Amino acid sequence: MNIRIEESWKQRLASEFEKDYFFRLTEFIRAEYTRTTVFPPARLIFNAFDQCPFDSTKVVIIGQDPYHGFGQAHGLCFSVTEGTPAPPSLKNIFKEIQNDLGKPIPPHGDLTRWARQGVLLLNATLTVQAHQAGSHQRKGWEEFTDAAIKLLAEEREHLVFILWGAYAQKKGAFIDRSKHLVLTSAHPSPLSAHNGFFGNRHFSRTNEYLAMHGIEGIDW
């Protein structure tokens, strides 16, 4: 199956594209885009991979579902298109960066600049029906994104995996902690941010770890 995705990822994920689950997933997704409104736009489904090639990846942040409102999702977890108000979780991420690093809160919520520095902003599920949270879960995306995370964890060294909330922590449970830095805390959602997300210093800790291994840090 010929999937439009960044070449280094295309080569490494080629075997996934030929599996039965991916054929079923593709049929389902194509039908969904035909019959209803789905986010992100189809050309941005693999945006996280397109913006952050395999060998350029330094940090992996795992989300769950794309935003399901108009003009929000563009294929990067927690990120929204420029001109769209930042959702509550993203606002809390920016607050933590401000507290951790003293950086001002940016004027928009588009995190593409992180991705281009080597931050893979990966949702577990890459599509969603408009206004229907979780509507494309358990259709095959989770298996596909597990495969991508496993490739990074096995083939690369000294990556930082940032796992906010129980869902992300479960998805990243297999990662070898002796080979990579795995940072965990509560989710930045307003429902849980005060239970350990605020004050986690994940952004400075990421850069400290990267520097320790001779890798340029992220300009958060």
Side-chain angles (χ1 to χ4, degrees):
M1 186 180 297
N2 186 28
I3 301 297
R4 292 182 184 176
I5 190 172
E6 191 275 332
E7 190 59 33
S8 65
W9 283 108
K10 188 173 188 175
Q11 292 173 8
R12 285 175 173 83
L13 291 166
S15 62
E16 297 301 311
F17 300 141
E18 301 305 321
K19 292 181 179 178
D20 288 345
Y21 86 86
F22 199 86
F23 279 96
R24 291 193 299 271
L25 171 64
T26 302
E27 288 180 359
F28 168 76
I29 295 300
R30 283 176 177 158
E32 285 285 275
Y33 274 96
T34 300
R35 73 175 188 85
T36 189
T37 301
V38 176
F39 300 126
R43 62 184 173 80
L44 296 176
I45 291 173
F46 297 109
N47 194 29
F49 300 98
D50 294 339
Q51 298 291 343
C52 187
F54 183 87
D55 290 321
S56 301
T57 302
K58 304 174 183 178
V59 181
V60 182
I61 299 179
I62 297 177
Q64 188 165 356
D65 239 21
Y67 296 121
H68 53 79
F70 282 90
Q72 292 182 308
H74 64 131
L76 307 178
C77 72
F78 294 105
S79 180
V80 291
T81 55
E82 191 167 346
T84 302
S89 291
L90 183 55
K91 285 182 179 178
N92 286 338
I93 289 169
F94 288 151
K95 285 179 186 175
E96 177 57 24
I97 291 171
Q98 185 178 47
N99 292 334
D100 185 12
L101 299 171
K103 295 177 70 72
I105 291 175
H108 61 79
D110 185 343
L111 303 181
T112 301
R113 66 182 188 86
W114 291 7
R116 289 176 177 166
Q117 294 178 76
V119 182
L120 183 67
L121 295 162
L122 185 63
N123 276 315
T125 303
L126 299 188
T127 55
V128 68
Q129 191 180 130
H131 312 305
Q132 298 290 326
S135 50
H136 289 180
Q137 291 178 6
R138 295 177 292 281
K139 302 295 184 181
W141 279 133
E142 294 91 341
E143 188 170 346
F144 176 74
T145 52
D146 280 350
I149 295 165
K150 188 175 181 182
L151 279 168
L152 284 166
E154 291 183 350
E155 294 188 19
R156 297 286 309 281
E157 290 185 340
H158 309 315
L159 299 180
V160 181
F161 290 87
I162 297 178
L163 312 178
W164 294 325
Y167 183 91
Q169 288 163 31
K170 184 177 179 181
K171 193 170 179 72
F174 68 90
I175 297 163
D176 185 348
R177 268 67 169 171
S178 68
K179 191 176 176 183
H180 305 286
L181 177 64
V182 179
L183 297 174
T184 63
S185 78
H187 193 276
S189 161
L191 299 174
S192 56
H194 289 281
N195 294 328
F197 175 77
F198 288 129
N200 65 23
R201 298 186 60 249
H202 281 181
F203 304 97
S204 61
R205 290 169 66 188
T206 292
N207 282 351
E208 288 163 5
Y209 178 83
L210 293 174
M212 188 168 68
H213 293 283
I215 303 165
E216 186 177 355
I218 307 299
D219 178 10
W220 300 106

